[in-house]
Amino acid sequence: MQHIRLAIIGFGNVGQGLASILVDHSSRYTQDFDVRFIITAVTDALKGGAMDPNGLDPAALLSSVEKTGTLSEMPNFRPSWDVAEMIHSAPCDAVVELSFTNLQTGEPATGYLTEAIRCGKHVVTSNKGPIALHYDHLTALAAEHGVQIGVEGTVMSGTPAIRLGRKILAAAGIQRIQGIFNGTTNYILTKMEAGAAYLEALREAQALGYAEADPTGDVEGFDAAAKVAILARLLFGTPLPLNQVNRTGITALTPADIQEAASAGQVWKLIGALEMIDGKLSASVRPQRLPLAHPLARVSGATNAVTYTTQLLDEVTLIGPGAGRLATGYAIIEDLLSIYSR
Amino acid sequence: MQHIRLAIIGFGNVGQGLASILVDHSSRYTQDFDVRFIITAVTDALKGGAMDPNGLDPAALLSSVEKTGTLSEMPNFRPSWDVAEMIHSAPCDAVVELSFTNLQTGEPATGYLTEAIRCGKHVVTSNKGPIALHYDHLTALAAEHGVQIGVEGTVMSGTPAIRLGRKILAAAGIQRIQGIFNGTTNYILTKMEAGAAYLEALREAQALGYAEADPTGDVEGFDAAAKVAILARLLFGTPLPLNQVNRTGITALTPADIQEAASAGQVWKLIGALEMIDGKLSASVRPQRLPLAHPLARVSGATNAVTYTTQLLDEVTLIGPGAGRLATGYAIIEDLLSIYSR
């Protein structure tokens, strides 16, 4: 059996989701995949750090955060633990990078990933910033150090959009990608379809925790644009600066627009799209009116979906969660299993 | 570069689709995957056989069939070529088994696969019979001889339903599978939704070549039941005799049923379903009324789809073609790439 020791950077929603998966599914993973995941170190900017070479109990990590908001109940607790120091000192095989996303610079996450790769660790992340902005740099470095980079969680959380496109459909010849890559805006549009005005739907999304206090990143399409850039690089092999994604958000859509579409048997969706036209990659994020027969038209609420138009299979559509503790935590598991056991 | 020599049993729709893919995509496969597929031998019960250790030109194979209905224009043409003899004498690395499907015995395909495996060849098939009925026997034999079995094309043609469930979602804990696994019946039901009576819709499906002259296998759910049995074995690890699939076809559905569902905001679909309940696998194929919000409700025409309900990702749905020359030919390519290059 393979023991895979993990050092985790960032213990927010996704990190806790991963810990929770390990509480409930570790014995199944051992049985089915002959691997044992062991969290040897965790550091979080707000919650502090903890380390145990023999493994931190994931249930204890969750319980400490629930009770104290920090990792203070864990062995070798440190109120703060520098990430670079953790990477260098924690006994681990893979570094799981789950710090906050920055779409301007990709930092500090890119620096963390770089450090981990230089230390010869595999890295797995669900963080869009470094992958949208610095993927080529990171893969070159990873190749140099003989390690792998797992990125499934950066698009559609654990719904395997990247793996499907990259591993399974690549030989079918992907010509076009269209997707609903942002659950918050899809939730808002679904509410507007049901009669709500934009602001009312936004408030509801904020109350449910789908939208942040400043919703700009979602509603103006920046989040979806980052995912489009990631898919451009991973599935079309084309690095795409974020400002080359033709981007329009959903804030200008009115109830009248929604109703007009509905009476024409159509529905508005915020579609991220990539298409190779005459050897040039066209990339956009913008609201589009889809006929109800389109496979993305009926994807409602916070769900995400992607349609790959291919030469040999025509349209193949994958629909699944685009966010969530467990769903994104699962992306990490998928990547680790892919690196280690398959 | 890896040369993969293929011997093909059966040169009907799927075999010709595979040849056609090799005409158009071989250079891309060489470039992207560093493999070269070479058809060294073909035998077909009606079209005869051909062989060339250096490779038969796939375009010439297609042209010979188009012009003469046989392989008579090919080098070393044989009006008939015994399959076992071909397997033993043709220089090949993998045998592609595309003969006709028999859901009672799985023969003669199972015999062909057995012979090929015993000769130390990898085998790839899109034939439901042997996989639904004799998978355990075949995998045991393959393990003994150190070869692999590719089966992606047996369910939803090249739409990677099996690979998605088996490789990518396995760790998410699949609890339930629901799918539209038969395109013919889905086409008929879609036409009935649009107002046609059952027989009218069936005639149309027959005129388009979706349904056979004797449509029993499709409309009574036998084809879908075979796919359910295959998924039971591959994704739940449970061998399932076909007669243990609780099966009802679509022939009893009336326009009144369809309209009643429509007025309740629902739609009838022929759903193949598998669910583990209290450690026992329940399997069925039957018409079900789905609410329009269900991810399978809007899958129309001859398209297929599957929804995996998982512990960690909730529902993940894959929609794509369920049949077709190229789509099924692509399943063979997927399996071969998976065996050889990934």
Side-chain angles (χ1 to χ4, degrees):
Chain A
M1 185 171 58
Q2 187 144 25
H3 287 65
I4 303 167
R5 297 166 306 166
L6 308 175
I8 300 177
I9 303 167
F11 203 66
N13 258 328
V14 182
Q16 291 173 48
L18 177 60
S20 169
I21 292 172
L22 294 184
V23 169
D24 293 330
H25 297 268
S26 276
S27 59
R28 189 163 64 84
Y29 293 154
T30 299
Q31 190 183 315
D32 293 355
F33 302 100
D34 204 32
V35 298
R36 188 167 162 228
F37 297 110
I38 301 164
I39 300 173
T40 51
V42 178
T43 184
D44 181 282
L46 303 173
K47 302 181 183 74
M51 205 258 274
D52 186 336
N54 297 314
L56 296 158
D57 176 9
L61 286 166
L62 292 170
S63 144
S64 175
V65 168
E66 202 189 329
K67 282 190 215 154
T68 68
T70 71
L71 299 175
S72 59
E73 299 198 342
M74 300 306 296
N76 304 318
F77 170 67
R78 308 168 194 211
S80 85
W81 193 9
D82 179 69
V83 171
E85 199 191 307
M86 178 187 86
I87 291 170
H88 283 271
S89 63
C92 69
D93 307 298
V95 170
V96 180
E97 197 290 309
L98 307 171
S99 71
F100 65 95
T101 291
N102 173 330
L103 292 180
Q104 265 76 52
T105 66
E107 297 296 353
T110 305
Y112 299 157
L113 292 169
T114 302
E115 198 67 31
I117 292 168
R118 286 213 174 105
C119 284
K121 314 293 185 189
H122 296 298
V123 294
V124 176
T125 187
S126 61
N127 193 327
K128 292 178 295 295
I131 307 308
L133 301 171
H134 304 296
Y135 185 74
D136 284 320
H137 160 71
L138 291 168
T139 41
L141 198 66
E144 193 185 313
H145 290 271
V147 298
Q148 293 187 53
I149 306 180
V151 301
E152 185 64 67
T154 61
V155 178
M156 287 175 63
S157 74
T159 306
I162 291 176
R163 199 157 262 116
L164 176 68
R166 204 176 182 192
K167 297 276 177 196
I168 304 184
L169 297 182
I174 297 175
Q175 299 172 300
R176 184 162 68 148
I177 302 174
Q178 294 173 287
I180 295 172
F181 296 123
N182 181 272
T184 308
T185 46
N186 204 53
Y187 179 85
I188 292 172
L189 292 175
T190 303
K191 285 288 152 186
M192 289 178 75
E193 248 184 276
Y198 169 72
L199 274 178
E200 186 187 346
L202 172 61
R203 298 274 176 272
E204 208 170 319
Q206 286 170 323
L208 287 166
Y210 291 157
E212 292 171 59
D214 175 359
T216 311
D218 290 323
V219 300
E220 296 295 357
F222 290 101
D223 173 74
K227 291 161 180 171
V228 163
I230 290 170
L231 294 176
R233 177 59 189 82
L234 294 177
L235 302 187
F236 285 104
T238 305
L240 188 69
L242 286 183
N243 62 15
Q244 283 182 29
V245 180
N246 192 339
R247 179 186 48 73
T248 308
I250 63 164
T251 54
L253 281 180
T254 64
D257 294 328
I258 305 284
Q259 278 158 29
E260 198 188 308
S263 57
Q266 298 188 321
V267 57
W268 283 99
K269 292 291 180 191
L270 183 66
I271 300 296
L274 283 165
E275 187 165 14
M276 196 61 89
I277 300 170
D278 297 333
K280 195 171 177 301
L281 191 63
S282 141
S284 64
V285 170
R286 61 186 176 85
Q288 289 188 38
R289 272 171 67 158
L290 303 181
L292 285 180
H294 192 288
L296 299 179
R298 282 282 149 196
V299 174
S300 64
T303 304
N304 280 197
V306 62
T307 298
Y308 293 111
T309 304
T310 67
Q311 292 176 276
L312 297 177
L313 287 174
D314 283 332
E315 286 183 355
V316 175
T317 298
L318 183 70
I319 306 171
R325 279 164 63 110
L326 293 181
T328 313
Y330 179 64
I332 307 301
I333 298 285
E334 259 183 87
D335 279 337
L336 289 168
L337 286 176
S338 170
I339 291 172
Y340 280 99
S341 79
R342 287 177 187 170
Chain B
M1 185 171 58
Q2 187 144 26
H3 288 64
I4 303 167
R5 297 167 306 166
L6 308 175
I8 301 178
I9 303 167
F11 202 65
N13 258 329
V14 182
Q16 293 174 46
L18 177 60
S20 169
I21 292 172
L22 294 185
V23 170
D24 293 330
H25 297 267
S26 276
S27 60
R28 188 163 65 82
Y29 293 154
T30 298
Q31 190 182 314
D32 293 356
F33 302 101
D34 204 31
V35 299
R36 187 164 164 232
F37 297 110
I38 301 164
I39 300 174
T40 51
V42 179
T43 184
D44 181 282
L46 302 173
K47 303 181 182 74
M51 204 257 275
D52 186 337
N54 298 313
L56 297 158
D57 176 10
L61 287 167
L62 293 169
S63 144
S64 175
V65 169
E66 204 189 328
K67 283 190 213 152
T68 68
T70 71
L71 298 176
S72 59
E73 299 198 343
M74 300 306 296
N76 304 318
F77 171 67
R78 308 168 195 213
S80 85
W81 193 8
D82 179 69
V83 172
E85 200 191 307
M86 178 187 86
I87 290 169
H88 284 272
S89 63
C92 70
D93 307 299
V95 170
V96 180
E97 198 291 309
L98 307 171
S99 71
F100 65 94
T101 292
N102 174 328
L103 291 180
Q104 266 76 53
T105 65
E107 295 298 351
T110 304
Y112 300 157
L113 293 169
T114 302
E115 197 67 31
I117 292 168
R118 286 212 174 106
C119 284
K121 314 293 185 190
H122 297 298
V123 294
V124 176
T125 187
S126 61
N127 193 327
K128 292 178 295 294
I131 307 308
L133 300 172
H134 303 297
Y135 185 75
D136 284 318
H137 160 70
L138 291 168
T139 41
L141 199 64
E144 193 184 313
H145 291 271
V147 298
Q148 293 186 53
I149 305 181
V151 300
E152 186 64 67
T154 60
V155 178
M156 286 175 65
S157 74
T159 305
I162 291 177
R163 199 156 263 117
L164 175 70
R166 204 176 182 192
K167 297 275 177 194
I168 305 183
L169 297 182
I174 297 175
Q175 298 172 301
R176 183 162 67 149
I177 302 175
Q178 294 173 289
I180 294 171
F181 297 124
N182 181 272
T184 308
T185 47
N186 203 53
Y187 178 85
I188 292 172
L189 292 174
T190 302
K191 285 288 152 185
M192 289 179 76
E193 248 183 276
Y198 170 72
L199 273 179
E200 186 188 346
L202 171 62
R203 297 276 175 272
E204 207 169 321
Q206 285 170 324
L208 287 166
Y210 291 158
E212 292 171 58
D214 175 358
T216 311
D218 291 323
V219 300
E220 295 295 357
F222 290 102
D223 172 75
K227 291 160 180 171
V228 163
I230 290 171
L231 294 176
R233 178 58 190 82
L234 295 177
L235 302 186
F236 286 105
T238 305
L240 188 69
L242 286 183
N243 62 15
Q244 283 182 29
V245 180
N246 192 338
R247 180 186 48 74
T248 308
I250 64 163
T251 54
L253 280 179
T254 64
D257 293 327
I258 306 285
Q259 278 158 30
E260 197 189 309
S263 57
Q266 298 188 322
V267 56
W268 283 99
K269 293 290 180 192
L270 183 67
I271 299 296
L274 283 164
E275 186 166 15
M276 197 59 91
I277 300 169
D278 297 333
K280 195 171 176 301
L281 192 62
S282 142
S284 63
V285 170
R286 59 185 177 86
Q288 289 190 38
R289 272 172 67 158
L290 303 181
L292 285 181
H294 193 287
L296 299 179
R298 282 282 149 196
V299 174
S300 64
T303 305
N304 280 197
V306 62
T307 298
Y308 293 112
T309 304
T310 66
Q311 291 176 280
L312 297 177
L313 287 174
D314 284 332
E315 286 183 356
V316 175
T317 299
L318 183 70
I319 306 171
R325 279 164 63 109
L326 293 181
T328 312
Y330 180 64
I332 307 301
I333 297 286
E334 259 184 87
D335 280 337
L336 289 168
L337 287 175
S338 170
I339 291 172
Y340 280 99
S341 81
R342 288 176 185 169

